[in-house]
């Protein structure tokens, strides 16, 4: 019979060391959620700075890839140990629901609960000395697993020693979790639909005519992107990106008289606020933020 052991806990709580001590000598497939996240970031083309929106999608993709490998191993009758954070019950339930569909499988979870001294030692070894209070605060977000989630055995790991802890069942958390997961799925579906429509609109801007506004002299023309480019306009999609601050000028005006130039000339030590902009500049900024939709009608954006 297949078995899955999840080892969960906060950063530097000792998950990897515990897995190595407890399971490395057994015939098990050890999977680490961090490895899947790194693969997702690499596939997305990011190494260092990752936008929050992209990070969220990469984590979701990583979790999906990890689940696929878990299900593969379960169907093959293997024993699996998974290192994961899994702070929230709904994340665990989403996995367990899918795993249970594979048939007879034992699912255990070990929750890392080090005392502060051990945790500080782990953090020091990893060169994260100044992060203890931060990690300690995050630890409070961990929802301790409950038998109602579908676990066969739940262990609290205190300084390397697993202690069985089966709290009273709370069936209500399962219903709440599934409702939250359904709501998330609907939100993701709607977000994907909006993004797809946005991508289609941006692609259409390469051929359709739309309003081009020169933020310097006030000139405006209803022309295609190709016509604008041939006329010397600095305008997306040929020059710059829709929705991103950069010059919006006709072929006769200088980029150095634009809102973009005003922004880059600002001393890095000072904040740039919209209160410093005149009425025309505020309209320009608002129009750029609303691109490309803001370029399809004239009246609302007429300078």
């Amino acid at each position: 019979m297949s078995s899955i052991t999840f080892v969960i806990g906060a950063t530097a709580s000792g998950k990897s060391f515990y897995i190595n001590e407890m399971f490395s000598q057994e015939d098990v497939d050890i999977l680490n959620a961090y490895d899947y996240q790194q693969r997702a970031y690499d596939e997305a083309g990011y190494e260092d700075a990752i936008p929050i929106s992209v990070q969220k999608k990469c984590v979701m993709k990583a979790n999906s890839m990890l689940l696929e490998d878990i299900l593969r191993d379960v169907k093959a009758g293997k024993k699996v140990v998974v290192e994961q954070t899994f702070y929230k019950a709904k994340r665990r339930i989403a996995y367990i629901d899918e795993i249970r569909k594979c048939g007879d499988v034992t699912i255990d979870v070990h929750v890392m609960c080090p005392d502060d001294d051990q945790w500080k030692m782990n953090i020091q070894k990893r060169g994260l000395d100044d992060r203890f209070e931060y990690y300690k605060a995050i630890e409070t977000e961990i929802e301790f697993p409950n038998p109602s989630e579908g676990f066969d055995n739940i262990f609290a790991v205190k300084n390397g020693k697993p202690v069985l802890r089966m709290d009273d069942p709370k069936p209500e958390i399962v219903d709440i979790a599934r409702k939250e997961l359904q709501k998330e799925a609907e939100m993701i579906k709607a977000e994907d639909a909006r993004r797809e429509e946005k991508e289609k609109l941006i692609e259409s801007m390469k051929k359709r005519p739309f309003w081009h506004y020169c933020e310097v002299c006030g000139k405006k023309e209803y022309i295609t992107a190709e016509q604008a480019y041939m006329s010397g306009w600095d305008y997306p999609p040929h020059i710059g990106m829709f929705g991103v601050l950069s010059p919006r000028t006709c072929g006769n005006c200088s980029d150095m008289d634009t809102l973009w130039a005003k922004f880059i000339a600002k001393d890095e030590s000072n904040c740039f606020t919209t209160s410093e902009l005149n009425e025309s500049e505020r309209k320009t900024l608002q129009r750029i933020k609303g691109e490309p939709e803001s370029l399809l009608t004239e009246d609302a954006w007429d300078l």
Side-chain angles (χ1 to χ4, degrees):
M1 183 176 68
S2 297
S3 68
I4 300 176
T5 300
F6 289 102
V7 179
I8 71 175
T11 300
S13 59
K15 297 187 294 295
S16 297
F17 181 82
Y18 178 73
I19 289 173
N20 185 61
E21 288 291 303
M22 294 291 291
F23 304 103
S24 63
Q25 303 304 316
E26 300 182 21
D27 183 18
V28 298
D29 192 5
I30 299 176
L31 307 176
N32 189 331
Y34 176 78
D35 295 334
Y36 289 84
Q37 290 174 13
Q38 287 302 119
R39 188 197 308 175
Y41 294 146
D42 291 342
E43 291 178 359
Y46 291 90
E47 295 181 1
D48 299 317
I50 305 172
I52 295 297
S53 59
V54 175
Q55 186 177 24
K56 182 179 179 180
K57 292 175 183 177
C58 284
V59 170
M60 291 176 62
K61 181 178 181 181
N63 287 341
S64 178
M65 292 189 295
L66 174 57
L67 178 58
E68 288 178 6
D69 284 354
I70 291 174
L71 297 179
R72 174 204 64 199
D73 284 353
V74 169
K75 292 174 182 177
K78 295 183 178 181
K79 293 183 178 181
V80 189
V81 175
V82 181
E83 180 177 339
Q84 179 59 288
T85 50
F86 272 159
Y87 288 3
K88 301 298 182 181
K90 64 182 178 182
R91 303 299 173 209
R92 301 188 291 260
I93 289 170
Y95 265 53
I96 293 172
D97 281 350
E98 293 302 315
I99 294 169
R100 289 297 182 194
K101 294 177 183 178
C102 295
D104 196 8
V105 55
T106 299
I107 306 177
D108 294 346
V109 60
H110 295 233
V111 185
M112 305 306 296
C113 304
D115 60 33
D116 286 357
D117 289 339
Q118 181 63 52
W119 202 359
K120 287 179 180 179
M121 188 182 302
N122 294 345
I123 290 174
Q124 186 177 34
K125 287 179 179 178
R126 293 180 56 174
L128 304 170
D129 299 30
D130 60 338
R131 304 289 282 173
F132 176 71
E133 295 302 329
Y134 171 72
Y135 294 141
K136 189 70 175 176
I138 290 180
E139 185 191 29
T140 62
E141 299 178 12
I142 299 178
E143 298 172 357
F144 197 88
N146 186 271
S148 293
E149 296 175 33
F151 291 111
D152 294 294
N153 296 290
I154 301 171
F155 298 91
V157 181
K158 299 181 179 181
N159 296 334
K161 297 180 180 181
V163 178
L164 186 66
R165 175 180 161 181
M166 302 295 285
D167 295 343
D168 292 336
K170 296 180 179 179
E172 65 275 10
I173 69 173
V174 179
D175 294 334
I176 294 172
R178 288 187 177 138
K179 288 179 181 178
E180 290 179 353
L181 290 169
Q182 178 62 31
K183 185 176 181 180
E184 281 187 3
E186 292 171 355
M187 290 176 62
I188 291 172
K189 183 177 180 180
E191 183 180 326
D192 288 343
R194 287 193 295 269
R195 184 177 65 252
E196 185 177 346
E197 287 301 312
K198 186 84 168 185
E199 290 173 353
K200 288 181 180 179
L201 176 57
I202 290 176
E203 182 64 25
S204 74
M205 302 298 280
K206 296 178 181 178
K207 297 180 179 179
R208 69 191 296 174
F210 59 91
W211 286 103
H212 290 66
Y213 296 86
C214 178
E215 60 179 291
V216 179
C217 69
K219 179 181 179 180
K220 59 183 180 182
E221 286 190 285
Y222 189 69
I223 53 179
T224 65
E226 186 64 24
Q227 290 172 326
Y229 180 72
M230 296 302 293
S231 299
W233 282 83
D234 275 0
Y235 231 89
H238 285 293
I239 300 177
M241 296 175 59
F242 289 120
V244 178
L245 182 62
S246 62
R248 302 290 191 271
T249 59
C250 66
N252 299 318
C253 293
S254 170
D255 290 351
M256 300 314 297
D257 296 323
T258 64
L259 179 59
W260 167 81
K262 185 174 184 177
F263 177 80
I264 64 172
K266 190 74 173 179
D267 190 322
E268 292 184 359
S269 63
N270 295 323
C271 296
F272 188 89
T273 65
T274 55
S275 63
E276 302 174 53
L277 306 180
N278 58 40
E279 181 62 22
S280 177
E281 290 170 333
R282 281 194 290 272
K283 285 184 178 180
T284 294
L285 180 61
Q286 193 66 20
R287 187 178 62 240
I288 291 174
K289 288 171 63 178
E291 292 175 347
E293 291 87 347
S294 60
L295 305 176
L296 300 180
T297 56
E298 178 183 16
D299 295 342
W301 305 98
D302 196 348
L303 298 180

